[in-house]
């Protein structure tokens, strides 16, 4: 195992070479179609988000991104981890982990350009000790399709989205 200092934290590199190898074994490889579950049930727990971020941070790619840029933001997490891990599945990480849907009690708004560790710190402030707090966080709750050279996945089109899927009556927005 190689170790290198990145900022004030130790970045541990295992022998993971690809995003697919970094994909957590506990992450299901299939789930419901995103549009078969109402958006009001696209919740994910803070514990699940923290587990996903821990898996992301354990990869060599994360260490490389952190060394190169000094931070890893949600654009990078999405492009390098979430999109490849969910490509052509038709559902978000939230629905892979909660295939029956999970009603969020809060919607967390965040900046995609923020550091992943800042997001986690904000979530810690939001939930306190309640790691099982179900929230709606776009990066993890919405399916993130993208067509690239490696992935031919554009997901459902705007025409396929019903406005009833877009209403999200949460108890609080943070």
């Amino acid at each position: 195992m190689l170790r290198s200092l990145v900022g004030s934290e130790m970045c541990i590199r295992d022998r993971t070479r690809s995003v697919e190898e970094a994909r957590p074994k506990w992450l299901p490889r299939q789930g419901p179609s995103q549009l078969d579950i109402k958006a009001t049930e696209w919740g994910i727990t803070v514990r699940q988000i923290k587990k996903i971020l821990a898996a992301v941070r354990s990869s060599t790619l994360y260490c490389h991104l952190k060394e190169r840029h000094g931070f890893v933001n949600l654009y990078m997490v999405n492009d390098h981890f979430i999109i490849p891990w969910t490509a052509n599945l038709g559902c978000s990480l939230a629905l892979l982990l909660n295939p029956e849907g999970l009603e969020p009690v809060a919607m967390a708004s965040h900046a995609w350009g923020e550091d992943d560790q800042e997001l986690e710190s904000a979530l810690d402030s939001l939930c306190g000790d309640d790691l099982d707090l179900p929230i709606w966080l776009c990066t993890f709750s919405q399916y993130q399709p993208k067509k690239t050279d490696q992935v031919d996945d554009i997901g459902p089109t705007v025409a396929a989205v019903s406005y009833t899927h877009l209403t999200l009556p949460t108890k609080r927005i943070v």
Side-chain angles (χ1 to χ4, degrees):
M1 209 178 268
L2 300 172
R3 295 175 186 260
S4 64
L5 214 48
V6 178
S8 62
E9 54 180 76
M10 191 66 75
C11 188
I12 301 173
R13 293 196 219 169
D14 58 17
R15 293 193 173 131
T16 303
R17 291 187 184 95
S18 73
V19 172
E20 184 56 32
E21 288 176 279
R23 190 182 198 281
K25 292 184 186 342
W26 48 261
L27 185 62
R29 294 197 174 267
Q30 63 182 9
S33 173
Q34 192 76 22
L35 296 182
D36 286 346
I37 307 291
K38 292 186 280 185
T40 56
E41 297 174 1
W42 294 354
I44 185 168
T45 68
V46 172
R47 181 183 315 275
Q48 290 169 327
I49 293 171
K50 291 171 79 71
K51 190 173 181 180
I52 291 165
L53 290 175
V56 165
R57 291 181 191 133
S58 72
S59 72
T60 301
L61 178 55
Y62 179 90
C63 292
H64 171 74
L65 291 167
K66 186 93 168 176
E67 287 172 349
R68 184 170 184 206
H69 301 284
F71 61 90
V72 176
N73 64 32
L74 274 288
Y75 289 112
M76 295 173 195
V77 170
N78 191 50
D79 287 345
H80 296 287
F81 299 95
I82 295 174
I83 290 172
W85 290 352
T86 61
N88 299 310
L89 296 181
C91 76
S92 64
L93 289 174
L95 292 182
L96 283 177
L97 297 173
N98 305 294
E100 301 300 317
L102 179 65
E103 184 177 349
V105 299
M107 176 188 173
S109 179
H110 69 95
W112 281 72
E114 75 186 321
D115 184 88
D116 69 297
Q117 293 171 324
E118 290 174 348
L119 172 66
E120 186 168 3
S121 178
L123 291 175
D124 289 340
S125 296
L126 166 69
C127 75
D129 293 332
D130 186 7
L131 294 177
D132 293 318
L133 180 74
I135 66 171
W136 195 95
L137 186 68
C138 62
T139 313
F140 300 89
S141 294
Q142 292 178 209
Y143 182 46
Q144 302 290 337
K146 184 175 184 180
K147 184 176 173 109
T148 67
D149 291 340
Q150 295 81 29
V151 177
D152 188 17
D153 183 14
I154 59 169
T157 65
V158 172
V161 178
S162 159
Y163 285 106
T164 60
H165 281 84
L166 301 177
T167 306
L168 188 63
T170 61
K171 294 170 182 67
R172 53 184 180 162
I173 297 177
V174 292

